Amino acid sequence: MSAQPACWHEANQIYLMQALASVRVALERRAENCNAGAAPDPGDATGERDFFLAGEPPALEKLCAAFGLSSFEREILLLCAGVELDSSFAGLVAAAQKDPRRGFATFGLALGAFPDAHWSALSPARPLRRWRLIEVGAGETLTGSSLRLDEQVLHYLAGVSHMDDRLRALLEYVAPPGELPDSQRAQAGAIAAAWSSNRGAAFPAIELCGDGLQGKRAVAAAACALVQAELYALPAHEVPHHPAELDAFLRLWQREAVLNESGLLIDCDEADVNDPARAGAIARLTEETQGFLIVNTRAPRRALRRPVLSFEIAKPTAAEQRALWRDFLGAAAARLNGSFDVLGNQFDFDAGAIRSACAEALQPVNHERALDAALWEACRAQARPRLDDLAQRIAPAATWEDLVLPEAQRQVLREIEIHVRQRAKVYQTWGFAARGARGLGISALFSGPSGTGKTMAGEVLAHQLQLDLYRIDLSQVVSKYIGETEKNLRRVFDAAEAGCAILLFDEADALFGKRSEVKDSHDRYANVEISYLLQRMEAYRGLAILTTNMKSALDPAFQRRIRFVVQFPFPDAGQRAEIWRRVFPAETPVESLDYARLARLQVAGGNIRNIAMNAAFLAAEAERPVGMAHLLQAARSEYAKLERPLTEVEIGAAR
C-alpha cells in the first residue's frame, strides 16, 4: 500500500496520474493491434481512495458525477487531458491511430480504444459538448476531428481553481463581509438554510428587495459563504441579450457553478425596464440558471416558473448601527460621549460604510481634529459617491452675513434650519413619528426672480447644518418617455437617503406646473410623476428644496403639501446697496465706490455679483483698484447679456 498523501492536492495529483496510466495502457493495446477491452489497473490506489473517502473526492470524480458522464465519456476526458499533461501521450496517440501526424485525440480513436463506447458521447446534447468540457476542432469527419480539453476543465482536473476568462470579463467577485448586523445575519442564514434543504433538487431563486445595494450584496455573499460557495455579481446591463451570446454565457456559467461551487448575483437595481430585450434576457437567465442564484432588485419582479424566495433587506436598525459604530471605533469610542445618536440620526449606513467612515476618521492625519468632527466629515464623504453621479454638488461657502433678504424671509429660513437640526428629537424622542410617517419630510419652495438668492439660501442652510448641497436641474430630469422621469427621481432620492443631503431641485416649474385636465395617457402619467415626487419628498429624511421663477404657475394643491414657502423678492434700493457693500471680498482693492448710486442699477443680487467680478478683472488688467468706471463697463456687458437697455439714470449711477 502506498503512503498516505499529505493533502488533498497531492492525493488528487496521484489519482489523476493513475487514471491517465490506465488510459495509456488502453492506447498501448490499441497501438499493438489488440482488441479493445477492459484496461488493467496499473497500480494499487487503495490508499488514495481511502484518503478521499474521509474527505473531498478527487476532481475527476467530482466532475464526472456533477455532469453525469458515462464511463466512456470519462475515458474521452482523460484521453484529452493526457495529451495536454504528458508530452509522451502525443506519440502514443499517433501510434494508436497509425498516423504520425495525428498526435491529437479523436472520437474515432476513443471508439476503438475504450470499452462501453457509445456514439452519442459526442452529441451536442451530451455533457462533453453541452457544457463545453471539450472542443471539437475542424475536420472532414466528426470521428476524425481533433478533440481538445477546455483550459478551465484542465486546470480543474489538476486541482487548480480558475475562472474562465470569458466569464471573468463580465463578473465581479463579491467577498464575504467581515461583519453583519444581527438582522442581516439572520437573513443570510435563512437563505443558506433554504438552499441546504433543497440539496439534490432545484434550488429556489433568491430575490433580495430594497434600496440598500451594499447591504443586499453583503447578505448575498454571507449566504454563499455559509454553503461554502463563492459569489460573483453580474450587473443587469452586462447580461448578454443576443440569444446566441446568452446561451453561451448560460453554459459557461453553469459549468463554472458546478466546477467551483459558485453563486451568481444578478444586480437588477438599475435595470432598464423599458428595454424588452434586456428584460427578456434577465428573465431567461433567472429561469435557467441552476445552483445558487440571487437577484438584487428594488421591488419584487414578476412571477417566475422557478420557485422564488423574496427577502426585504433593510439597513441595520438604529441600535445595530450604534453597536457597529462602537465596535469599529474600539477604544476611541469613549471620546464620542453621546455623538452616536447624532451620527445615527443623520446618516443611515450599512456595516461596510460605517467601517470605512471609522477607518477614515481614525487616520493619523485626523488626530489634530476632534473625533466627532472627523467622523462627521468622513460620513459625508461616504454618502457622496452615488449622488455625485446624478447631481451637481455645490460647496456651501455662503453664510447668513452674505444673504441680503427682508427679515421675514430670513426668519423662515432659520425655522427651516431648526426643523432639520431638531427633527430627530421631535420625531423620535418626542414621539411624533409614531403618530404616522406622512408629512415627516422637510420640504421648502423658494420662489422669486433669477438672481434673488434662492441658491445662496440653500448654501447658507448647508453651511450652517454642515451638510452637502446637491443641485438637480429638473429640466434635465424630466423625460418625454413614460416612466423615465419617475425612474430618474427615484435614483436621486435613493442615492441621497444614506446621508440626507440637502437636495435643491432647480427649475421646478418644468415638472410642477399647473396640472391640466387629463386628456391622454401622457397627461395621466405626468400626474403620476408629480404624485411620486410628492410622496418621496414627504418620506425623505433630509431637506428637499424646490426653486421656481414662477410661483403662480405651480398647482395650489402641490403648494399645500410643501412645509415652507419662501418668496424671494426683487431687492429694493436699500437691499441692493447692502449687496454692493458685501459683494467685494476684503482682499479686493476698491476706490471711491458710491454704493447708494450703484444701488440705482435695477439688477438682482446674482447680476450684481457678475458685474462686480467682471469689474475686478478689468481693474486687474489695468493694474488699478476697482472703481466706478470699471463697474460701468461691466454693467454694460451684463445688461447686454440680459438684453436690457442701460437707462440714463442707471448710467449716471455707475459713473
Side-chain angles (χ1 to χ4, degrees):
M1 181 183 294
S2 59
Q4 186 82 346
C7 64
W8 180 88
H9 287 283
E10 181 181 340
N12 184 72
Q13 188 72 13
I14 294 172
Y15 193 93
L16 181 59
M17 290 302 103
Q18 290 180 339
L20 290 175
S22 177
V23 173
R24 177 184 290 276
V25 171
L27 292 175
E28 289 172 345
R29 289 164 58 90
R30 178 69 177 173
E32 296 169 0
N33 291 319
C34 295
N35 292 328
D41 188 347
D44 182 6
T46 304
E48 288 71 39
R49 290 168 186 159
D50 290 344
F51 178 81
F52 284 121
L53 286 175
E56 186 179 358
L60 173 63
E61 301 309 328
K62 286 200 299 181
L63 186 147
C64 291
F67 292 106
L69 299 186
S70 67
S71 60
F72 178 56
E73 289 166 334
R74 178 183 186 273
E75 297 302 306
I76 294 176
L77 201 71
L78 285 168
L79 173 63
C80 296
V83 174
E84 299 287 350
L85 295 172
D86 187 341
S87 58
S88 65
F89 248 68
L92 188 56
V93 166
Q97 298 186 92
K98 305 295 189 294
D99 188 342
R101 297 169 301 177
R102 300 177 69 81
F104 49 82
T106 66
F107 188 41
L109 172 59
L111 285 170
F114 303 127
D116 301 323
H118 56 93
W119 179 263
S120 63
L122 276 198
S123 164
R126 287 293 298 172
L128 288 179
R129 292 181 65 189
R130 173 173 174 75
W131 301 116
R132 300 192 176 182
L133 304 180
I134 63 171
E135 299 291 341
V136 181
E140 294 182 0
T141 63
L142 180 60
T143 56
S145 299
S146 64
L147 303 181
R148 185 169 184 180
L149 193 65
D150 183 88
E151 181 181 355
Q152 187 198 11
V153 177
L154 178 65
H155 289 307
Y156 178 82
L157 292 177
V160 178
S161 179
H162 170 73
M163 175 174 280
D164 193 298
D165 289 339
R166 289 165 290 186
L167 291 174
R168 190 184 301 277
L170 298 175
L171 302 177
E172 172 196 356
Y173 172 65
V174 183
E179 65 292 311
L180 271 182
D182 291 343
S183 58
Q184 293 183 350
R185 187 182 299 110
Q187 290 175 308
I191 294 169
W195 283 334
S196 298
S197 65
N198 284 273
R199 290 282 187 180
F203 288 120
I206 303 299
E207 199 172 58
L208 302 184
C209 305
D211 295 330
L213 176 59
Q214 294 306 315
K216 289 187 291 187
R217 287 168 70 101
V219 170
C224 283
L226 290 173
V227 292
Q228 286 79 51
E230 293 187 332
L231 180 65
Y232 292 89
L234 175 67
H237 66 268
E238 293 286 2
V239 173
H241 59 276
H242 189 279
E245 293 176 353
L246 180 59
D247 184 67
F249 175 84
L250 270 166
R251 296 191 185 201
L252 288 173
W253 172 254
Q254 297 287 67
R255 190 181 71 183
E256 173 67 28
V258 170
L259 293 181
N260 293 318
E261 284 287 321
S262 300
L264 181 63
L265 172 67
I266 307 175
D267 184 6
C268 296
D269 273 25
E270 300 298 337
D272 186 356
V273 296
N274 293 321
D275 183 350
R278 189 76 64 190
I282 293 171
R284 183 185 167 198
L285 188 59
T286 306
E287 291 278 12
E288 299 184 18
T289 299
Q290 299 173 11
F292 307 126
L293 174 70
I294 301 174
V295 179
N296 273 353
T297 179
R298 295 185 182 278
R301 300 172 66 82
R302 64 178 179 82
L304 302 172
R305 294 188 301 273
R306 177 179 185 173
V308 176
L309 295 179
S310 293
F311 293 81
E312 185 72 27
I313 307 299
K315 294 282 182 68
T317 65
E320 288 173 336
Q321 290 189 40
R322 285 194 294 270
L324 288 168
W325 284 113
R326 291 190 180 92
D327 290 344
F328 292 133
L329 287 172
R335 295 156 48 192
L336 279 182
N337 297 322
S339 296
F340 292 115
D341 288 336
V342 176
L343 290 171
N345 291 335
Q346 181 61 42
F347 302 101
D348 188 20
F349 283 169
D350 55 28
I354 293 175
R355 181 185 61 243
S356 298
C358 290
E360 174 64 25
L362 293 174
Q363 288 290 320
V365 295
N366 287 319
H367 283 180
E368 298 296 324
R369 306 172 61 190
L371 180 58
D372 55 353
L375 269 177
W376 188 269
E377 288 306 311
C379 287
R380 288 174 64 179
Q382 281 295 314
R384 285 170 184 159
R386 287 183 65 195
L387 201 48
D388 277 345
D389 293 336
L390 301 171
Q392 175 193 4
R393 177 154 50 94
I394 299 175
T399 65
W400 286 114
E401 288 70 28
D402 300 307
L403 193 61
V404 178
L405 279 176
E407 185 56 34
Q409 281 81 349
R410 291 173 68 89
Q411 182 58 38
V412 177
L413 293 175
R414 291 188 185 278
E415 289 181 19
I416 295 173
E417 178 188 345
I418 291 171
H419 278 234
V420 175
R421 195 185 303 279
Q422 300 297 334
R423 70 181 185 278
K425 178 184 290 186
V426 173
Y427 291 165
Q428 308 301 327
T429 308
W430 291 2
F432 273 75
R435 296 291 184 90
R438 183 176 179 182
L440 297 183
I442 303 174
S443 56
L445 174 66
F446 292 175
S447 64
S450 297
T452 51
K454 299 186 295 293
T455 301
M456 180 180 285
E459 286 189 49
V460 170
L461 292 171
H463 185 272
Q464 293 298 117
L465 295 164
Q466 293 184 289
L467 296 176
D468 286 331
L469 173 66
Y470 283 88
R471 177 184 175 274
I472 301 99
D473 187 347
L474 277 173
S475 65
Q476 300 299 315
V477 171
V478 174
S479 173
K480 65 180 179 180
Y481 298 106
I482 290 179
E484 284 297 301
T485 300
E486 185 177 349
K487 185 178 81 171
N488 294 338
L489 290 169
R490 185 201 70 216
R491 292 176 64 200
V492 170
F493 277 105
D494 287 351
E497 284 287 353
C500 292
I502 296 178
L503 301 180
L504 182 75
F505 291 93
D506 210 0
E507 304 292 343
D509 36 287
L511 180 61
F512 311 113
K514 287 185 177 179
R515 285 175 283 186
S516 58
E517 295 181 4
V518 175
K519 298 178 181 177
D520 57 29
S521 61
H522 287 273
D523 291 335
R524 282 193 297 271
Y525 208 85
N527 290 345
V528 170
E529 291 170 341
I530 294 171
S531 297
Y532 177 80
L533 178 74
L534 295 175
Q535 171 193 336
R536 290 306 301 259
M537 288 176 62
E538 289 179 333
Y540 182 52
R541 293 172 60 245
L543 169 62
I545 301 171
L546 307 170
T547 74
T548 178
N549 298 335
M550 297 180 294
K551 179 183 175 183
S552 59
L554 298 184
D555 188 338
F558 167 72
Q559 294 185 47
R560 284 194 295 270
R561 296 175 70 175
I562 299 294
R563 185 177 301 189
F564 296 98
V565 177
V566 184
Q567 177 67 42
F568 287 72
F570 190 87
D572 59 25
Q575 291 166 347
R576 293 197 299 272
E578 190 59 33
I579 295 172
W580 277 111
R581 289 188 185 94
R582 302 181 187 188
V583 74
F584 290 105
E587 299 83 1
T588 305
V590 296
E591 182 179 58
S592 303
L593 297 186
D594 188 335
Y595 298 116
R597 292 175 61 193
L598 289 170
R600 298 176 192 170
L601 292 171
Q602 299 290 318
V603 287
N607 305 111
I608 290 175
R609 186 176 184 277
N610 291 342
I611 294 171
M613 185 177 294
N614 289 340
F617 276 100
L618 295 171
E621 178 66 17
E623 298 184 354
R624 297 286 305 276
V626 178
M628 296 294 282
H630 304 123
L631 288 166
L632 172 60
Q633 185 175 347
R636 291 185 187 278
S637 299
E638 186 70 11
Y639 271 66
K641 184 175 69 176
L642 296 173
E643 298 183 348
R644 283 174 47 189
L646 190 60
T647 68
E648 288 298 324
V649 173
E650 291 172 316
I651 291 174
R655 289 186 185 278

